[in-house]
Amino acid sequence: MRLVRRIVEVRELVGEARRNGLRIGLVPTMGFLHEGHLSLVDRCRELSDLVVMSIFVNPLQFGPSEDLESYPRDMERDLALAEGRRVDLVFAPANEELYPEPPTAVVAPRRLADRLCGASRPGHFEGVLTVVAKLFGIVQPDVSVFGQKDFQQAVLIQRMVSDLNMAVRVEVAPTVREPDGLAMSSRNAYLSGDERARAVSISQALAWAVAAFRSGERDAGLLRSQIRVRLDAVGGVDVEYVEAVSARDLEPVSSAAADTVMAIAARIGSTRLIDNACLGNPDPGLAKLL
Ligand code: AMP
């Protein structure tokens, strides 16, 4: 596995691989890797010959009062995990390498970014799309793999690629969970023991909604309010939103269907967690809870 920090080096190594006929895959991450990230590597390996992982905590996607400074980092551990999963190339640039000066041009979403997570994180998705567009420009991957865990992000990236005619296939892989159902996240490291115990209520509430949907419940308003009741009953779970939206266009729905995504954001202590489930096709980790 190669670790490179400079854009010119990535271009050189990837360019050579491409000239040799290899398909290039990219898995963008902010590091502090867990099994969720590594599952994207596995999927990427199925779809490409050279797997590039980027590790970069992107300042552009953090709001002024968010956790940029405290975001967990452990490059040594990340490199060992990436190597263990047969990543070919890790691209871990310094801030100055990607942003030598404040960018003049950014990728700003016009729609779909003002709801769900975008409502409480203004500018967040502009930061995400800008860094992903830059990584696509640097690596020029044939395929790039993202997680369903951040499903609004995945939808926006798919829209960006389509709107800007980028020549990359975007693949979305299922959410990977802890055995009790909690969606894996680098931010889980912030949780105290007590908070961790409460955090499981989010995936449990989603599993309840999937089970209710399977039993025939189609009233999205009722599913949402029942989820709130369940989360409120736990105590110390400060719900930001519970939304039922169409997986295609993120439009809120009143009648739940197989492609409806139930999405939750909640604060537990100072940690903001998100999770979601497709009602008709839940990820295996959630389906196991039913
Ligand atoms: P992050 O490092 O949090 O920016 O995430 C990098 C990529 O990993 C994104 O595409 C995320 O959606 C994905 N990811 C994060 N957590 C999970 C998870 N539990 N399961 C699957 N993918 C995930």
Side-chain angles (χ1 to χ4, degrees), residues 28-30 34 36-37 40 71 146-147 149-150 153 174-176 184:
T29 81
M30 299 206 297
H34 50 66
H37 297 114
L40 307 185
Y71 195 82
F146 296 84
K149 158 82 170 26
D150 301 277
Q153 166 176 291
T175 302
V176 175
M184 289 192 183

Side-chain angles (χ1 to χ4, degrees), residues 133-182:
K134 284 168 72 71
L135 292 168
F136 285 177
I138 293 164
V139 177
Q140 298 182 26
D142 298 286
V143 58
S144 188
V145 187
F146 296 84
Q148 168 76 14
K149 158 82 170 26
D150 301 277
F151 103 103
Q152 184 177 17
Q153 166 176 291
V155 169
L156 282 163
I157 288 167
Q158 283 170 320
R159 293 295 175 108
M160 171 182 77
V161 163
S162 157
D163 286 346
L164 301 181
N165 306 99
M166 294 173 164
V168 50
R169 166 177 169 189
V170 173
E171 181 76 7
V172 182
T175 302
V176 175
R177 299 175 180 280
E178 301 289 352
D180 67 357
L182 177 67

Side-chain angles (χ1 to χ4, degrees), residues 143-281:
V143 58
S144 188
V145 187
F146 296 84
Q148 168 76 14
K149 158 82 170 26
D150 301 277
F151 103 103
Q152 184 177 17
Q153 166 176 291
V155 169
L156 282 163
I157 288 167
Q158 283 170 320
R159 293 295 175 108
M160 171 182 77
V161 163
S162 157
D163 286 346
L164 301 181
N165 306 99
M166 294 173 164
V168 50
R169 166 177 169 189
V170 173
E171 181 76 7
V172 182
T175 302
V176 175
R177 299 175 180 280
E178 301 289 352
D180 67 357
L182 177 67
M184 289 192 183
S185 164
S186 306
R187 289 191 168 98
N188 291 349
Y190 296 144
L191 299 170
S192 69
D194 178 53
E195 290 168 344
R196 170 66 183 80
R198 277 181 269 158
V200 74
S201 61
I202 297 174
S203 49
Q204 282 171 348
L206 288 171
W208 171 83
V210 170
F213 178 78
R214 283 192 181 170
S215 313
E217 184 56 65
R218 294 292 180 269
D219 183 340
L222 184 143
L223 291 172
R224 291 170 56 209
S225 62
Q226 277 299 311
I227 286 178
R228 272 193 185 263
V229 167
R230 278 152 200 275
L231 294 176
D232 289 345
V234 176
V237 179
D238 186 9
V239 174
E240 185 184 298
Y241 65 74
V242 177
E243 297 286 353
V245 301
S246 153
R248 236 172 336 100
D249 55 13
L250 306 180
E251 283 301 329
V253 299
S254 54
S255 178
D259 73 342
T260 297
V261 173
M262 190 62 80
I264 301 178
R267 254 173 219 288
I268 300 189
S270 55
T271 306
R272 184 175 179 278
L273 298 178
I274 58 172
D275 198 354
N276 69 86
C278 179
L279 291 179
N281 184 24

Side-chain angles (χ1 to χ4, degrees), residues 88-110:
D88 296 296
L89 181 61
V90 170
F91 174 47
N95 275 345
E96 307 75 56
E97 181 72 3
L98 277 200
Y99 302 114
E101 54 186 58
T104 305
V106 295
V107 181
R110 286 216 164 144

Side-chain angles (χ1 to χ4, degrees), residues 83-128:
E83 175 132 49
R85 238 21 190 260
R86 296 190 301 119
V87 169
D88 296 296
L89 181 61
V90 170
F91 174 47
N95 275 345
E96 307 75 56
E97 181 72 3
L98 277 200
Y99 302 114
E101 54 186 58
T104 305
V106 295
V107 181
R110 286 216 164 144
R111 295 179 303 110
L112 312 188
D114 53 352
R115 58 191 68 174
L116 301 168
C117 290
S120 64
R121 305 188 72 187
H124 169 67
F125 288 115
E126 176 175 312
V128 170

